[in-house]
Amino acid sequence: TAGQFDLVYNASSFTLASMMASTIFFWLRVGSIHEKYKSALVITGLVTFIAAYHYFRIFNSWVDAYSFPAAVDGVVQDPVITGIPFNDAYRYMDWLLTVPLLLIEIIFVMNLSEAETASKATSLGVASGLMIIFGYPGEGLIEDNDLGQRWVFWTMGMIPFLYVIYTLLVGLKAT
């Protein structure tokens, strides 16, 4: 309905503004942060910048997927599908970049040696990337609702996910 369209439109606009403002805030604060945490704060700003870009692309794709017919007797009509497909792959492209960065950011603020920081950042970054890569075909590419294929991709995505969880909760518990 027109009301639902407006709700999504306004929520998306608010989200975009919040992410863009957050990016500016994080990057402006870098100079006042202890040297040890500057890289993590720059990554935080990078994550919100990347997310804002992808949400902007998602927002445009969603808006292009609908159009409003002319009002009838002054009454706004509900939107209709334009035939321009909504591109939901932007979510996965966003996650492919931001999830590894967020995990790397966590590692950067931990009290680890340089070697362990590099090792954990690399392994968690790669594992989270694989999790996203395996998840997309299960949700986005299988259109015939073949549950067998979806379960295969779900299982493949869960393996790196469980590795990430284990590493954060058990492997790095002491830090």
Side-chain angles (χ1 to χ4, degrees):
T1 67
Q4 291 168 325
F5 182 93
D6 287 345
L7 179 65
V8 173
Y9 187 97
N10 292 332
S12 297
S13 294
F14 179 79
T15 301
L16 277 170
S18 298
M19 287 186 191
M20 290 183 282
S22 295
T23 298
I24 292 167
F25 174 78
F26 294 137
W27 286 344
L28 287 175
R29 297 299 299 164
V30 169
S32 64
I33 301 298
H34 189 281
E35 191 65 36
K36 177 179 176 180
Y37 301 109
K38 284 184 179 183
S39 293
L41 191 60
V42 169
I43 290 173
T44 299
L46 189 58
V47 165
T48 55
F49 178 81
I50 291 167
Y53 170 77
H54 284 114
Y55 274 81
F56 181 74
R57 302 292 302 181
I58 290 167
F59 180 76
N60 286 341
S61 178
W62 183 79
V63 168
D64 290 344
Y66 296 94
S67 68
F68 280 86
V72 175
D73 296 325
V75 176
V76 175
Q77 300 298 301
D78 288 337
V80 294
I81 296 173
T82 63
I84 300 170
F86 174 73
N87 187 346
D88 66 346
Y90 287 127
R91 287 182 302 133
Y92 282 89
M93 294 304 102
D94 179 67
W95 296 337
L96 188 58
L97 295 169
T98 59
V99 172
L101 286 172
L102 288 167
L103 288 170
I104 290 167
E105 179 184 354
I106 290 170
I107 298 302
F108 279 3
V109 299
M110 296 179 118
N111 200 17
L112 302 173
S113 68
E114 278 190 43
E116 193 173 11
T117 297
S119 171
K120 294 297 182 191
T122 301
S123 66
L124 289 175
V126 168
S128 63
L130 288 172
M131 175 183 70
I132 304 301
I133 289 168
F134 291 142
Y136 180 64
E139 180 184 345
L141 297 180
I142 301 171
E143 294 184 12
D144 61 358
N145 288 325
D146 181 348
L147 290 179
Q149 280 186 311
R150 287 183 187 270
W151 279 109
V152 167
F153 284 107
W154 180 85
T155 302
M156 290 170 58
M158 284 301 290
I159 293 168
F161 172 74
L162 292 172
Y163 170 77
V164 168
I165 297 300
Y166 176 83
T167 300
L168 292 175
L169 295 179
V170 178
L172 294 171
K173 186 177 183 177
T175 61

